[in-house]
Structure formats: structure tokens, C-alpha cells
Amino acid sequence: MTAVETTALDIATEDGTADAFLVRPADGGPYPGVLMYMDAFGPRPHLLSMAERLAAAGYTVLLPNVFHRHGRAPVVPLPEFIDAAAEHALFEHLGPILRSLTPDQGMRDAEAYLRTLAESPAVADGPVGVTGYCMGARLSLLTAGTFPRRVAAAAGFHGGRLAADTPDSPHLIADRITAEVYFGHADADPVMPAEQIRRLEDALTEAGVRHRCEVYAGAPHGFTQADCHAYDAEADARHWAALLELLGRNLK
């Protein structure tokens, strides 16, 4: 496996400073850039290991703390392993923080994240990829629609509320997307029910977006996160294959 280097950095946004990690192959590159959006638990050892795995495949990966308005990561103390009871307790604190992040705030931040990638000597010229997990899948879709000239590939896994019945639902900007898009949905996910999956698929199809949306049978919400009780090794392996294929087609 390719050796990687990880650097902690601070990113100036319109609303304050976002702490982040930049992970790249150790030879310096430059390599295609990828913006990795966190799940609700935020940057932590497991999520950083995912960024390192992606970097080892030949990418320069930026992993920001999108909850930076509430402090540096972790914004709440996290156990090494998040079981069901811990998850419930954590969301008493994280739920309000998650809901406070508006699409406008997220996209103001995204502009700063994309600028950081564009200005890094470790990132090759050209558009970037975006991937996101849980709430990060929503940010991935929004970023692809808000910055179509900068994003060539966008992915999301076990995302929630991607096609909600609200005026700020991210599926409503599908007609602005020029990237190829992939979504891997958790099976019977309460935050991404079947009607939303259909609505997202219809929006992408009607907009002519190159895309593939798949439901991972039997996989619960959070299936990519090995430090959480919902982890599903088979679904996680499928996610890695789909993500690397998507990025490889569009960034290399």
C-alpha cells in the first residue's frame, strides 16, 4: 500500500476557522483532489483512516470538520467504539448541532474547502471528487450542484434526507449537476425511506445526470463506519469498490 502523509490544518471560512486534515501520498504528488465529508460523529481516528485509505489509492484528500462553528473536532467526546446506547446519548448533543447546519452555511464552507484543494501543491489541476457519509452525503450532493465546474464526481453513502419534501432539499438542484454521481443507500433506512430514494432517482434521471443509485440489501444506516455498531463489512467493501471506480473514471 502507498505510504501517505497526514497534515492538520486550519481553513478560513466566512464563518470562522474549520479544522481539517489533508492526506496525500507521501511522494507529494500532485494527485487528484477529493473532498471527504464526515458523518455526524465527525473527524476521528476511523474517519481519518478512511481518508488515508483513499489517499493511498492515489488522491489528495481533504477531511474538514463541518461542525467547526461549535468547536474543534470532536465537538463532543467520543468513545473508541460507538454502540447503540452511546449513539443514542451522543445524538442528544449532536442532533441539534447537525440540524443547525444550513445548506447556505454548508456551501459557504464548501467554497473554502474547494479553494484549499485548488491552492494545494499536492492537488493536480482540474476538477475534484466529493464523497460523504450520513449527513455528508447530503453535503456531497449539494456541493456537486452548487459548484458544477469544480466537481467531476460525487458520491454519498447511507445518506439521509437527500430528497425530502422541503424547499431546501438537495435533490432540487440536480439540474445543475455536471458530475457523475453515485449513491449507496442503506436498506430500510429511516432517514432515507423508499419514497425519497425514488424521488432522488427521478430527479437525477430527469436532469440527465450520469448516475447510479443502489440500495445495499441488509445494510443498516452507518454501514461504512467500523467504529460503530452499524458497521457491515460486506457493504463497506462494496462501497469502496463503487467509490474507487467512480473516482477512477472521472479524475484519472
Side-chain angles (χ1 to χ4, degrees):
M1 182 172 264
T2 302
V4 301
E5 292 182 353
T6 301
T7 304
L9 69 159
D10 288 340
I11 299 172
T13 78
E14 291 186 27
D15 300 328
T17 300
D19 48 308
F21 292 102
L22 186 74
V23 191
R24 63 181 186 178
D27 66 8
Y31 288 92
V34 178
L35 173 57
M36 176 180 282
Y37 280 124
M38 60 186 238
D39 64 356
F41 300 124
R44 59 194 190 281
H46 170 66
L47 208 60
L48 183 56
S49 75
M50 293 178 67
E52 291 169 345
R53 177 170 175 175
L54 187 53
Y59 300 95
T60 297
V61 183
L62 182 66
L63 173 63
N65 170 24
V66 306
F67 289 161
H68 63 87
R69 292 169 182 82
H70 301 271
R72 301 180 73 86
V75 296
V76 299
L78 298 172
E80 288 186 13
F81 182 79
I82 303 169
D83 60 20
E87 179 178 25
H88 179 77
L90 286 168
F91 264 91
E92 291 186 4
H93 302 283
L94 290 172
I97 294 173
L98 188 159
R99 291 188 291 273
S100 73
L101 181 64
T102 68
D104 285 346
Q105 289 174 337
M107 292 306 96
R108 288 200 299 270
D109 289 349
E111 186 164 20
Y113 304 151
L114 293 172
R115 182 176 63 249
T116 298
L117 285 170
E119 293 176 351
S120 172
V123 177
D125 292 338
V128 303
V130 185
T131 186
Y133 302 88
C134 182
M135 58 164 286
R138 180 181 174 93
L139 292 170
S140 180
L141 183 57
L142 283 168
T143 302
T146 306
F147 304 98
R149 294 183 179 181
R150 303 192 202 180
V151 179
F157 299 91
H158 47 82
R161 297 184 59 78
L162 300 176
D165 188 18
T166 58
D168 63 353
S169 179
H171 81 287
L172 296 175
I173 61 173
D175 60 346
R176 305 179 197 173
I177 295 173
T178 59
E180 183 180 352
V181 171
Y182 178 91
F183 284 97
H185 302 296
D187 194 9
D189 191 337
V191 295
M192 191 64 188
E195 61 267 24
Q196 287 199 41
I197 292 174
R198 288 192 298 270
R199 192 178 295 144
L200 175 61
E201 176 78 35
D202 289 347
L204 294 170
T205 299
E206 291 170 9
V209 177
R210 293 170 298 144
H211 73 280
R212 186 154 52 104
C213 297
E214 298 181 316
V215 176
Y216 289 22
H221 182 82
F223 59 76
T224 62
Q225 303 302 304
D227 61 348
C228 299
H229 67 97
Y231 180 66
D232 184 304
E234 182 176 347
D236 184 33
R238 182 177 175 183
H239 131 263
W240 278 112
L243 176 61
L244 293 173
E245 288 172 6
L246 175 74
L247 298 177
R249 280 194 302 272
N250 291 282
L251 300 185
K252 292 188 173 181

